[in-house]
């Protein structure tokens, strides 16, 4: 029996993955749907990584738009029909574009929700491959790199995948494998990131939409719609912010995807580096082709606001309390105080899904060794978030337009109603 090592790569864009229908010219599994796949030359992890990138380039033309999100655990299976033992190395890449340029191996391409794998004729074990790289509750809870907007989408992907898996089983035993199990997963997701309001709010919205039917199929559909809506409202909030800063000079800190989408509208952008993780460096580099960009230390925020003609301080928000208090990356409060001193308006850019339904300030701490890991007996503090009082915030820029802090409480009341499924 032949043993063949292969990569199976999933490209993800806006919550969907790229599926490729294999052409009649390929040597195996013609006419079946799969991911980007190919043989590995060599036995090392580096060989698998290289094969993954080579196959993405050859089969899609999208390698320049891809960033590795996750390597899955390798698994093996045997296909007796073709006398082959496959050793599969799964990969997940986030992809910025969808303009696929397939080669001769592909007859058809489609961006689809991964749960469509369960409803199609696919190459063997394709769902197993995806499951090895799919988002999980633990991944949402432990991710220290991404902001609340994208992590809330990841939470909805977890809910969609699990609901789709149950729905594909066509089980009528809801107590054993349906709504109660999915509700338990949703509860865990709601508790995964206490400082990030968008995660529970978007999970609540999907659960509320499916609460009448209480079936896996209804929840899968609601999660799919929730993913599409999340991208839509975040983009609308970014567009509102872009109008506020267009052709002006803005200062920002940390790495908010929503703010990042708005910043190219400015002529000049000052970016605080956001220690200790220095997320601002990546923001500055990404903006370099869109505006005149200056990167500076966090300690220089007040100096820049006092000496440069800054038109607005523009920040993201991991949560907005009902009274308009903004929870965001540490340093936001100090920046807002300095902006207030210089009469510079402060805009928090966030969809209304980031409004908390209670007034509790929930903050997360980072690893203190990121601040100091030396031999001397010195303690270190690494708060990840701080709270900026509402009186320092000029407006919350949302998909509904600019909200004054006093208007946020009405949004909180709407969102509170979505959590009734938990009762």
């Amino acid at each position: 029996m032949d043993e063949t090592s292969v990569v199976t790569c999933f490209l993800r864009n806006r919550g969907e993955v790229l599926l490729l229908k294999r052409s009649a010219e390929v040597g195996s599994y013609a006419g079946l749907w799969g991911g980007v796949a190919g043989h590995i030359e060599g036995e090392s992890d580096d060989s698998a990584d290289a094969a993954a990138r080579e196959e993405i380039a050859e089969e899609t033309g999208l390698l320049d738009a891809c960033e590795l999100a996750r390597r899955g655990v390798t698994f093996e299976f045997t296909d007796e029909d073709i006398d082959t033992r496959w050793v599969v190395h799964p990969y997940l890449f986030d992809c910025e574009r969808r303009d696929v340029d397939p080669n001769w191996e592909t007859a058809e391409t489609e961006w689809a929700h991964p749960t469509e794998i369960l409803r199609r004729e696919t190459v063997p074990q394709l769902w197993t491959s995806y499951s090895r790289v799919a988002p999980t509750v633990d991944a949402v809870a432990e991710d220290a790199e991404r902001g609340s907007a994208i992590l809330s989408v990841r939470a909805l992907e977890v809910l969609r995948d699990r609901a789709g898996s149950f729905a594909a089983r066509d089980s009528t035993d809801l107590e054993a494998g349906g709504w109660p199990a999915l509700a338990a997963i949703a509860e865990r997701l709601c508790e995964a990131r206490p400082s990030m309001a968008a995660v529970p709010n978007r999970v609540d919205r999907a659960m509320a939409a499916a609460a009448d039917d209480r079936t896996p199929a209804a929840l899968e559909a609601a999660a799919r719609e929730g993913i599409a809506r999340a991208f839509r409202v975040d983009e609308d909030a970014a567009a509102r912010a872009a109008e506020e800063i267009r052709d002006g000079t803005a200062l920002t800190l940390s790495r908010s995807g929503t703010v990042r989408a708005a910043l190219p509208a400015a002529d000049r952008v000052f970016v605080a580096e956001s220690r200790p993780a220095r997320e601002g460096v990546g923001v500055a580099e990404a903006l370099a082709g869109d505006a005149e960009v200056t990167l500076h230390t966090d300690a220089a925020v007040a100096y820049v606001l006092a000496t440069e003609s800054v038109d607005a301080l523009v920040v993201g928000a991991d949560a907005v309390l009902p009274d308009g208090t903004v929870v965001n990356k540490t340093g936001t409060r100090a920046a807002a105080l300095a902006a207030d001193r210089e009469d510079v308006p402060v805009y928090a850019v966030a969809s209304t899904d980031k409004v908390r339904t209670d007034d509790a300030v929930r903050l997360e701490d980072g690893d203190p060794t990121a601040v100091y890991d030396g031999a001397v007996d010195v303690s270190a503090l690494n708060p990840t978030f701080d709270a900026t009082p509402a009186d320092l915030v000029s407006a919350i820029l949302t998909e509904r337009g600019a909200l004054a802090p006093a208007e946020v409480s009405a949004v909180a009341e709407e969102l509170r109603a979505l959590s009734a499924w938990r009762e």
Side-chain angles (χ1 to χ4, degrees), residues 80-375:
E80 301 286 354
D81 291 339
I82 61 174
D83 196 34
T84 299
R85 184 170 185 80
W86 297 104
V87 181
V88 183
H89 298 252
Y91 286 81
L92 176 67
F93 288 81
D94 283 318
C95 189
E96 294 180 349
R97 306 194 314 269
R98 292 194 174 205
D99 52 331
V100 184
D101 182 17
N103 66 4
W104 60 271
E105 299 175 69
T106 299
E108 188 178 342
T109 69
E110 183 177 344
W111 292 92
H113 286 280
T115 46
E116 286 301 304
I117 293 170
L118 297 166
R119 301 177 174 93
R120 300 194 182 195
E121 293 187 60
T122 70
V123 300
Q125 302 296 322
L126 187 63
W127 181 252
T128 301
S129 293
Y130 172 72
S131 297
R132 297 295 175 103
V133 295
T136 65
V137 177
D138 287 343
V140 171
E142 296 167 5
D143 193 319
E145 299 295 323
R146 292 160 187 81
S148 60
I150 196 62
L151 287 180
S152 66
V153 171
R154 297 290 171 259
L156 289 172
E157 291 173 3
V158 173
L159 209 55
R160 172 203 60 197
D161 293 346
R162 296 301 296 274
S165 180
F166 283 134
R169 298 176 193 174
D170 195 27
S171 172
T172 57
D173 187 357
L174 296 183
E175 294 301 318
W179 187 260
L182 292 170
I185 293 168
E187 289 276 10
R188 289 180 60 204
L189 287 167
C190 287
E191 297 167 0
R193 300 306 295 260
S195 65
M196 295 182 173
V199 175
N201 284 341
R202 287 175 172 170
V203 169
D204 281 345
R205 189 181 298 278
M207 294 297 290
D212 287 342
D213 289 344
R214 296 171 65 87
T215 64
L219 183 54
E220 181 190 1
R224 288 186 178 197
E225 169 53 31
I227 291 167
R229 179 188 173 278
F231 284 106
R232 185 170 64 249
V233 297
D234 288 341
E235 288 165 354
D236 288 348
R240 183 70 184 83
E243 289 305 310
E244 289 289 345
I245 64 173
R246 190 169 303 282
D247 301 328
T249 298
L251 188 150
T252 192
L253 72 158
S254 191
R255 180 179 56 195
S256 161
T258 312
V259 172
R260 166 66 184 89
L263 290 175
D267 281 342
R268 188 176 188 190
V269 180
F270 288 92
V271 183
E273 62 180 342
S274 300
R275 285 184 179 269
R278 301 184 76 218
E279 306 98 312
V281 175
V283 172
E285 291 175 342
L287 283 171
D290 299 320
E292 180 183 350
V293 182
T294 301
L295 182 68
H296 55 82
T297 62
D298 296 346
V301 166
Y303 171 84
V304 171
L305 287 166
T307 62
E308 302 287 344
S309 297
V310 176
D311 297 306
L313 170 64
V314 186
V315 298
D318 285 277
V320 180
L321 272 56
D323 68 355
T325 296
V326 172
V327 177
N328 194 50
K329 167 76 177 186
T330 302
T332 302
R333 180 174 182 144
L337 284 165
D340 182 64
R341 174 67 177 80
E342 306 301 332
D343 292 324
V344 173
V346 178
Y347 298 122
V349 186
S351 74
T352 54
D353 287 340
K354 292 187 176 181
V355 173
R356 288 200 64 85
T357 58
D358 58 43
D359 58 4
V361 178
R362 295 179 172 87
L363 306 178
E364 298 179 20
D365 290 330
D367 182 357
T369 62
V371 176
Y372 182 73
D373 193 21

